[in-house]
Amino acid sequence: MNPTVIDFGPGVLGALQRYADPGEVDVFLTHLHADHCLDLPGLLVWRRYHPTPPVGRAIVRGPSDAALRIGNASAEIGGECDDWSDVIDMQQWAEGEQIEFGPGHTVVARRMYHPPESYGLRITTKSGRTFVYTGDTAMCDAVQELAQGADVLMSEASWTHDPANRPPGIHLSGTEAGQIAARAGVKELLLTHIPPWTSREDVIAEAKAEFTGPVHAVAPGESFDI
Ligand SMILES: [Zn+2]
Ligand SMILES: [Zn+2]
C-alpha cells in the first residue's frame, strides 16, 4: 500500500522525506494553482532518475489538465510538454464518483468554487471515519454537502470576514469555515491555508464564534489521527 499525499506544493518533496520514501507515494491534487502542485516535477525526477528506481508507477489523481500543466512545468524547453507517463499513472477526478485507495479507504471528489478546476475531497477510512479537505474554495453548496457529518473537516480559511478584502469565488474566511463546520455537524475543525499576511488569531477567533467544537489552525510538522 502506498501512502497518499494530498497536494504537492513547493516544499513538500523535502518535508515528505521525513515521513515516507517519495518513490512510494501516490498523490491527490485538488487543483493546479502553483502552491498546490509545483513540487511534482521534482517527484518526476526522483522516480525517473533514482539509481534504484521505484517499482511501478505512482498514481497521481487530479484535474483534467494535470498531465499537460505539470508536463509544461517539467519540460526542458519553454512551450514543450514532458511526457511523464513513464513514471506516473495520471488519473482524473470524476465528480461524485467513489474511488477506492489504500487498504480499504475511499475518496469522493466534489467540484469547488475556485477559479481553476478544483476539488474538495471526502475520505472515508476502512474503519468508517471521515476526513474532509476543502482544498481551495469559496462558500458553495458543494463544500457544505461534502463536509456533512465529517469526523474531521480540514478547511481552508484564507481571509478574515471583511467584505472589503474578499473578492467572490476564491476563498473562505474563518467565519465561513466555522459556519460550514457548524451546519455540517462535524466533530472537529482544522484550519489551513492561512497566508502570512492574514492574522491566524483573527481567523481562529472567527471560526470559534461560529462553531462550538474543537478548532485548531494546523502548522507544519503536526500530525493527527483520524
Ligand atoms: Zn488555489
Ligand atoms: Zn492555494
Side-chain angles (χ1 to χ4, degrees):
M1 190 282 287
N2 287 350
T4 299
V5 181
I6 304 177
D7 284 340
F8 217 86
V12 167
L13 184 58
L16 174 61
Q17 293 170 59
R18 292 200 290 271
Y19 307 101
D21 179 346
E24 295 181 350
V25 301
D26 295 325
V27 178
F28 291 162
L29 295 176
T30 60
H31 67 300
L32 296 169
H33 271 153
D35 55 319
H36 294 254
C37 69
L38 267 191
D39 254 6
L40 269 179
L43 186 66
L44 304 190
V45 170
W46 185 291
R47 296 192 65 94
R48 189 176 279 161
Y49 300 112
H50 197 291
T52 309
V55 176
R57 296 188 297 169
I59 295 172
V60 175
R61 193 176 289 278
S64 57
D65 54 351
L68 173 66
R69 299 276 300 280
I70 304 301
N72 290 152
S74 179
E76 295 182 358
I77 298 171
E80 293 196 347
C81 183
D82 184 12
D83 178 0
W84 48 329
S85 60
D86 56 326
V87 292
I88 301 291
D89 176 8
M90 184 67 216
Q91 301 185 11
Q92 297 178 15
W93 293 118
E95 166 103 31
E97 182 182 317
Q98 183 170 289
I99 296 162
E100 291 192 18
F101 73 103
H105 308 322
T106 62
V107 58
V108 174
R110 289 290 305 275
R111 188 76 178 259
M112 296 288 102
Y113 185 29
H114 193 59
E117 180 184 337
S118 304
Y119 296 90
L121 305 179
R122 182 183 178 99
I123 291 170
T124 304
T125 68
K126 187 178 183 180
S127 59
R129 301 275 293 173
T130 47
F131 170 74
V132 171
Y133 170 47
T134 63
D136 285 3
T137 188
M139 188 63 103
C140 59
D141 290 344
V143 72
Q144 188 66 60
E145 292 164 12
L146 196 73
Q148 191 60 39
D151 289 298
V152 178
L153 169 63
M154 178 180 276
S155 177
E156 75 120 289
S158 301
W159 294 323
T160 55
H161 201 67
D162 177 353
N165 297 329
R166 293 190 299 118
I170 302 179
H171 288 302
L172 297 169
S173 66
T175 296
E176 290 169 321
Q179 289 171 342
I180 293 167
R183 290 185 201 129
V186 307
K187 295 194 176 69
E188 181 175 2
L189 174 61
L190 302 178
L191 301 173
T192 189
H193 208 277
I194 305 170
W197 51 84
T198 296
S199 164
R200 289 172 69 84
E201 291 69 29
D202 288 353
V203 168
I204 294 166
E206 284 187 359
K208 284 185 171 177
E210 303 291 333
F211 176 61
T212 55
V215 177
H216 177 74
V218 301
E222 286 188 306
S223 66
F224 302 86
D225 292 325
I226 304 299

